Amino acid sequence: MKKLITFAIGLFFFSVSICYAHPPECDPGPHGCDNKLLKQPFLQIHQFKLMDKTGKVHLQMDKSGKFEFEGSAAGTIGNDGKVVDLNGKVLAIMRSTSILEDASGTPLVRISQDGTIDNGSGVKIRWTKNGTLKRGSSPLDVKLVPASVATRRTASILFFLANDIRGPQTEELPSVNK
């Protein structure tokens, strides 16, 4: 009986040590260390700009991963898929499953390796060869410069987060008098 109790206590401590053993460098969220298992770099960090048809730059990133939104510094994105604000707060994490999650691990959107954004609506948002963003077959007023395949996923992540933070843009239509 004594051996059985000793074995049960040992098994209990072993199971507890497994449950709580995780390296402190893991990202928050339900997937823990998913990105730590990937070959680095997970994202390619290259300089780019997102502009509208008039040439106004709305979002840009330098070669170190620092990005600006509407001319103001906003944060950094690392080649490990983590997006942080200027205060070091995690905004989102790109997982190896192609799911972009917020800091608490809530899935936001799927962004494939080629930068295609799939929010589950059935209409995907894709980059064309010349760097124009299209929703289904409709072109959007967004252009990636340079139109590099290597920057598309990173550009899609930042584009989605910028629009998610800013919220939907609505325009009031003029009233029609009869």
Side-chain angles (χ1 to χ4, degrees):
M1 185 69 161
K2 187 175 182 179
K3 286 185 180 184
L4 183 61
I5 293 173
T6 304
F7 177 73
I9 292 173
L11 186 60
F12 171 75
F13 284 121
F14 177 72
S15 64
V16 168
S17 69
I18 289 175
C19 291
Y20 292 105
H22 62 281
E25 70 275 0
C26 290
D27 296 328
H31 301 293
C33 294
D34 281 357
N35 290 0
K36 303 300 177 195
L37 302 174
L38 298 173
K39 295 177 186 171
Q40 296 296 332
F42 178 60
L43 289 177
Q44 295 186 26
I45 304 298
H46 297 283
Q47 186 173 351
F48 69 85
K49 295 178 183 179
L50 291 180
M51 306 182 326
D52 63 18
K53 64 183 171 191
T54 66
K56 181 181 177 188
V57 176
H58 293 277
L59 190 137
Q60 64 183 353
M61 187 178 80
D62 67 17
K63 61 184 176 182
S64 69
K66 294 178 184 173
F67 62 93
E68 297 178 0
F69 178 66
E70 300 289 338
S72 299
T76 59
I77 185 168
N79 61 5
D80 62 351
K82 191 183 299 182
V83 183
V84 296
D85 69 7
L86 295 174
N87 299 319
K89 178 184 172 202
V90 176
L91 299 174
I93 301 166
M94 186 68 185
R95 298 293 182 186
S96 61
T97 58
S98 296
I99 301 291
L100 183 67
E101 297 176 352
D102 67 10
S104 66
T106 303
L108 300 172
V109 69
R110 179 180 300 276
I111 301 177
S112 63
Q113 189 67 34
D114 67 354
T116 299
I117 301 171
D118 182 1
N119 65 1
S121 69
V123 180
K124 295 183 180 180
I125 301 172
R126 303 178 189 274
W127 296 101
T128 63
K129 286 184 181 182
N130 69 355
T132 303
L133 198 57
K134 290 179 87 175
R135 184 174 187 265
S137 60
S138 304
L140 300 174
D141 187 20
V142 178
K143 177 114 175 155
L144 176 63
V145 177
S148 165
V149 174
T151 61
R152 289 180 184 170
R153 188 177 219 184
T154 306
S156 291
I157 292 168
L158 295 180
F159 173 77
F160 176 82
L161 289 174
N163 285 298
D164 189 50
I165 291 168
R166 183 174 51 171
Q169 301 298 305
T170 58
E171 201 175 294
E172 188 174 323
L173 298 175
S175 61
V176 178
N177 295 327
K178 290 188 177 184

